[in-house]
Amino acid sequence: MIRTPEIHRRARRAGRMLLALCAALLLLPATAAAVSPDDLLPVDEAFRLQASAAGPGAIELRWEIADGYYLYRHRTSAEAGEGFDAGALRLPDGIAHEDEFFGPVETYRDQLVATLPGTPRGTGTTLTVKYQGCADLGICYPPQTRTVEVALPGGARGRLSGLLSGGLGSNSLPGGNTGGLLGGGNDPLPEQQAFSVEAIADGGNGLLVRLAPAPGYYIYRDQTGFKLPGDGLAVGAVDWPRGVAHNDEFFGDTTVYRQPVDVPVEVLREHPGPLAATLVVSLQGCQDDGICYPPMTRTLEVSLPAGELRAAAAAAPVGDAPPPAGDGADGAATAEAGAPESPEAAGKAADGTPAAGSGAGSAVERSRPPAGVVRGGLAEGGPGLLAVLLLAVIGGLILNLMPCVLPVLSLKALSLASGDGSHAGARRQALWYTAGVLASFAALGALALGLRQAGLALGWGFQLQQPLVVALLALLMFALGLSLSGLWHVGGRWTGIGHGLATRSGPAGDFFTGVLAVVVATPCTAPFMGAALAWAFAAPPALAIMVFLALGVGLALPFLLIGLVPSLAGRLPRPGAWMDTFKQLLAFPLYLTAAWLVWVLARQRGADAVGLWLLAAVLLAFAAWAWTRSRLGAPRRWLPAVVLALLAMGWPLHAVHVMPRPQATAAAPDAAGSEPFSEARLAELRESGRPVFVNITADWCVTCKANERTVLARDGFRQALAKADAAYLVGDWTDVDPDLTRYLQRHGAVGVPLYVVYPASGAGPQVLPIVLTPETVREALEQAAGGAA
């Protein structure tokens, strides 16, 4: 929307004065002297501007042009700010026109739709739009400039584009009467101006509806409903944003919206192709210290792109079930019908008496929660809490066998071998290591839950989608490897000479090793983890943290048993001269882990990011070496060098953090003939009756890469695809991709890998296990193809 409402208002007040001057300067015909500017519409009513994201690589600008008015093609332009690398504005051919001042030009009447192509670099951008137009009366407006904020696909809350062309909304008051909007009087506004409602498509299976009350007005959340009339369309889950608790005279404790909010609405559909939809929005609202309006209905036309088939039967109503008042939760309630129109709800006059025109109506119909949705701490239709905790413990235990954790476990093995061999020492080490694991899992779970509550789409391993986190983790592995190789150690009065942080037997070293084990475990997803994490992400925060702690118990369990069972602790080897060689050998798994993380960084941000990381690694190595020199008796000489080297590391790391994603290039098909995953392509293939194998992967996912090496890159997989005539779609989740995250969540996955096989018959898909075998994949493809016969 326009970010300068005050300028907009002043321009409206001064418009008549300026038009008289502009009539003499800009394209004023000889007969215009007899035409009064009072005969003209305000500029934002003559040319209504809307801007919205038309997809991941384009922004659509739309002008609705009033009858008797026209825009110039050559006077129309748009520039994007940060967040969107824009190309040239694409304008359609206009109507040929011989202009008195500009000569031969092209003009637009009724409507102008332009496209600004480009590459998104964030979740939103600011457009500077310039245009100029005239009236058939013979008077032209001055050149106009509007600043419009546009949310790009993949953003969090607030993704609705700048649909409003004016600072106060596109429903400007005729004649410049903004007194009511500015709070200058108590006269109620017309309902269209008091409560603005707009909607755009959010992919093929979603809508974003903007509810925008004017200042001094509010909208009831629980009296708002949505319908999609027509064959093959229905409203699914409604993700209500947080509102304001309000004690109402008629509705009691409820929730209202006093500021514009964007409401994501799921679309259930029986036809995958693009279509035009009609959204019916029912709502009710009031004026502060004034009247309450009768229930209102708005009808909005929305163009939906191709989407995934979702059965409308999933939205079977269960009667009145509005979201809990005042909780502000982002619940998944479904609104299929309008808001209730009881006599009490129909409105009240300024004196508190019921308003005229009240009438009974239909109640809000809401859907039954899908299986597995948590209510009151336990899942309906899903596993119970104890079963989920058991799955989490087993998943965490198996995580010890995954390749991403092995380098850190080698550090722990060295720590245990360096102990004094006593039962008390082994128990202390095990308990401190477990404390580090549990604290890290709790912190990671709280962070993930908090970010999801804020509206961000993420899952297990989300931190490795951030290049800065990958770079820092690679530097940490590199520094630990240098320590084991003997380049540096933490000495002096703090920790004791000759003991490094990662290998010392004290509490801090054991705790730190547990923290590190959790950090490097996130690229892997072990069997049984998926169900537990999916349950946790849907559960209340307290129960979700319990699941994350159970994962930590499973990860720490082997070393915990060694510390608590004397017979196991007695089997540990005794310290000796062999340990120095063993310690140096353990440095190489850490170097390999650092090299793998740098490869991931290269995939995320390209070769320049690798060069910056290498510079940071050299500075880190110098700081570690200088630190050890300072511990040997010359602190004044070497400590400043340590500080300067560490500070200098900030520049390359910051450069990696702000570096844009490299331009996507068309990848050549691999030996299996894969295609990039998209919802539209999946819908197209399913409509054509072909089986589809979907692989959602990431470069930092060790489990994904292991499956690709052992199964998906083999001839057997290619032969199974060919025999089933199946398409192979690959989605890359290495970087943040909300579309892929939503796809993961729809299938109950909170991270990668995810493997889904769609039958040719159009029946429901089959989700394969996290760890693949050739037989599992072959059987799934055979069953998918068999459905076509």
Side-chain angles (χ1 to χ4, degrees):
M1 69 183 72
I2 305 300
R3 293 168 50 181
T4 56
E6 185 61 29
I7 294 175
H8 182 63
R9 290 194 293 269
R10 292 178 181 176
R12 289 173 63 88
R13 297 188 190 106
R16 294 170 181 172
M17 297 172 56
L18 289 174
L19 284 172
L21 176 61
C22 294
L25 297 178
L26 295 170
L27 312 178
L28 179 62
T31 60
V35 178
S36 170
D38 292 339
D39 298 328
L40 295 177
L41 291 173
V43 65
D44 286 320
E45 292 184 18
F47 312 107
R48 292 183 180 272
L49 170 64
Q50 298 179 354
S52 62
I59 295 175
E60 183 181 271
L61 298 169
R62 182 185 297 269
W63 286 266
E64 299 294 336
I65 305 171
D67 290 338
Y69 294 78
Y70 58 90
L71 284 174
Y72 288 104
R73 186 178 195 271
H74 72 289
R75 303 288 285 177
T76 304
S77 65
E79 295 179 357
E82 295 182 0
F84 190 80
D85 294 342
L89 182 65
R90 297 174 182 171
L91 293 163
D93 294 334
I95 303 171
H97 174 71
E98 186 68 25
D99 192 85
E100 182 179 0
F101 292 93
F102 293 133
V105 295
E106 294 180 35
T107 61
Y108 303 104
R109 293 180 180 271
D110 297 329
Q111 186 182 77
L112 166 61
V113 179
T115 301
L116 186 66
T119 303
R121 301 299 187 189
T123 59
T125 188
T126 301
L127 296 184
T128 301
V129 185
K130 298 180 180 180
Y131 55 96
Q132 186 178 7
C134 300
D136 289 340
L137 294 173
I139 294 181
C140 291
Y141 295 86
Q144 302 294 314
T145 300
R146 297 290 183 268
T147 303
V148 185
E149 290 184 352
V150 179
L152 302 175
R157 293 281 186 266
R159 289 172 292 176
L160 188 60
S161 307
L163 290 175
L164 309 180
S165 63
L168 296 173
S170 59
N171 296 319
S172 304
L173 288 176
N177 175 18
T178 58
L181 285 173
L182 298 175
N186 289 324
D187 293 339
L189 295 171
E191 65 177 43
Q192 292 285 345
Q193 297 161 6
F195 310 103
S196 174
V197 182
E198 291 172 313
I200 60 171
D202 184 23
N205 291 93
L207 298 171
L208 282 174
V209 182
R210 165 161 288 187
L211 305 175
Y217 292 75
Y218 57 87
I219 295 175
Y220 293 102
R221 183 190 68 179
D222 299 347
Q223 310 307 314
T224 304
F226 307 99
K227 272 186 178 180
L228 280 171
D231 295 336
L233 283 178
V235 168
V238 177
D239 194 3
W240 295 102
R242 186 175 299 277
V244 178
H246 175 70
N247 184 268
D248 190 79
E249 179 180 357
F250 294 98
F251 299 131
D253 291 331
T254 185
T255 298
V256 299
Y257 297 121
R258 296 182 176 275
Q259 302 293 330
V261 294
D262 300 337
V263 184
V265 178
E266 183 186 20
V267 175
L268 306 174
R269 55 193 300 168
E270 299 176 2
H271 308 290
L275 50 86
T278 300
L279 175 68
V280 178
V281 183
S282 57
L283 71 153
Q284 187 174 6
C286 299
Q287 178 190 22
D288 287 333
D289 301 321
I291 70 166
C292 279
Y293 292 69
M296 298 161 275
T297 299
R298 305 288 171 81
T299 301
L300 307 172
E301 301 298 327
V302 183
S303 296
L304 287 172
E308 180 180 321
L309 297 178
R310 299 186 188 175
V318 293
D320 268 347
D327 63 356
D330 295 334
T334 299
E336 273 289 349
E341 299 183 15
S342 64
E344 297 82 4
K348 60 179 183 294
D351 61 356
T353 60
S358 303
S362 59
V364 177
E365 298 177 352
R366 302 191 183 273
S367 72
R368 187 181 308 277
V373 171
V374 176
R375 286 185 180 271
L378 293 177
E380 296 181 355
L385 176 60
L386 292 179
V388 170
L389 294 178
L390 179 61
L391 289 175
V393 171
I394 296 173
L397 181 62
I398 298 176
L399 201 57
N400 285 279
L401 305 177
M402 308 305 286
C404 46
V405 188
L406 293 179
V408 178
L409 296 185
S410 64
L411 294 178
K412 189 58 192 169
L414 177 63
S415 175
L416 289 173
S418 303
D420 57 11
S422 67
H423 175 59
R427 182 174 63 248
R428 183 190 66 245
Q429 286 183 309
L431 291 176
W432 277 108
Y433 171 77
T434 303
V437 170
L438 295 180
S440 302
F441 260 112
L444 184 64
L447 177 61
L449 294 171
L451 292 176
R452 285 170 68 95
Q453 184 69 19
L456 298 182
L458 48 81
W460 178 252
F462 69 93
Q463 68 273 26
L464 289 174
Q465 293 179 326
Q466 308 301 322
L468 179 60
V469 174
V470 175
L472 288 171
L473 187 56
L475 288 174
L476 177 60
M477 292 295 177
F478 179 64
L480 289 175
L482 294 178
S483 176
L484 294 179
S485 295
L487 178 69
W488 72 286
H489 62 266
V490 180
R493 63 181 180 275
W494 291 280
T495 61
I497 296 176
H499 293 280
L501 180 61
T503 58
R504 49 187 292 231
S505 58
D510 297 320
F511 186 90
F512 172 78
T513 307
V515 172
L516 192 60
V518 175
V519 173
V520 300
T522 51
C524 285
T525 303
F528 302 102
M529 279 182 59
L533 288 172
W535 194 95
F537 279 135
L543 297 180
I545 294 298
M546 291 178 61
V547 176
F548 278 96
L549 291 176
L551 284 168
V553 170
L555 180 62
L557 190 58
F559 291 109
L560 193 62
L561 291 175
I562 290 175
L564 299 180
V565 179
S567 59
L568 295 177
R571 297 177 179 273
L572 294 175
R574 300 301 177 188
W578 62 271
M579 287 186 53
D580 186 60
T581 301
F582 182 57
K583 180 182 71 173
Q584 294 178 15
L585 285 174
L586 290 181
F588 293 97
L590 295 175
Y591 291 141
L592 288 174
T593 303
W596 164 67
L597 289 167
V598 173
W599 174 78
V600 173
L601 184 63
R603 301 279 290 183
Q604 290 177 324
R605 292 298 181 267
D608 289 346
V610 175
L612 291 168
W613 184 89
L614 291 173
L615 176 59
V618 172
L619 292 170
L620 178 62
F622 175 77
W625 175 76
W627 170 262
T628 300
R629 299 291 298 176
S630 70
R631 297 298 89 208
L632 296 179
R636 293 184 179 180
R637 179 183 304 174
W638 292 105
L639 279 180
V642 174
V643 174
L644 289 175
L646 293 177
L647 291 176
M649 286 174 56
W651 174 78
L653 291 175
H654 174 73
V656 169
H657 177 60
V658 300
M659 182 175 292
R661 187 182 305 182
Q663 291 284 350
T665 57
D670 59 15
S674 67
E675 302 178 53
F677 171 86
S678 70
E679 296 278 9
R681 180 57 176 156
L682 175 61
E684 179 184 343
L685 289 167
R686 296 210 72 194
E687 191 174 13
S688 68
R690 287 188 64 188
V692 184
F693 187 98
V694 174
N695 171 17
I696 308 299
T697 182
D699 289 332
W700 43 260
C701 170
V702 178
T703 310
C704 305
K705 296 305 174 185
N707 286 332
E708 290 166 14
R709 289 281 185 182
T710 58
V711 178
L712 303 180
R714 299 294 181 90
D715 291 337
F717 176 65
R718 291 189 286 271
Q719 293 168 1
L721 285 174
K723 184 177 180 181
D725 189 28
Y728 181 30
L729 301 184
V730 178
D732 188 358
W733 205 52
T734 302
D735 265 311
V736 176
D737 190 327
D739 291 336
L740 286 181
T741 304
R742 284 191 289 269
Y743 180 81
L744 290 168
Q745 292 169 346
R746 283 205 306 274
H747 292 283
V750 295
V752 288
L754 173 66
Y755 307 105
V756 185
V757 179
Y758 293 86
S761 62
Q766 177 186 2
V767 178
L768 301 185
I770 290 173
V771 178
L772 295 179
T773 64
E775 292 75 17
T776 300
V777 173
R778 178 179 52 79
E779 291 175 0
L781 287 172
E782 287 178 353
Q783 293 174 5

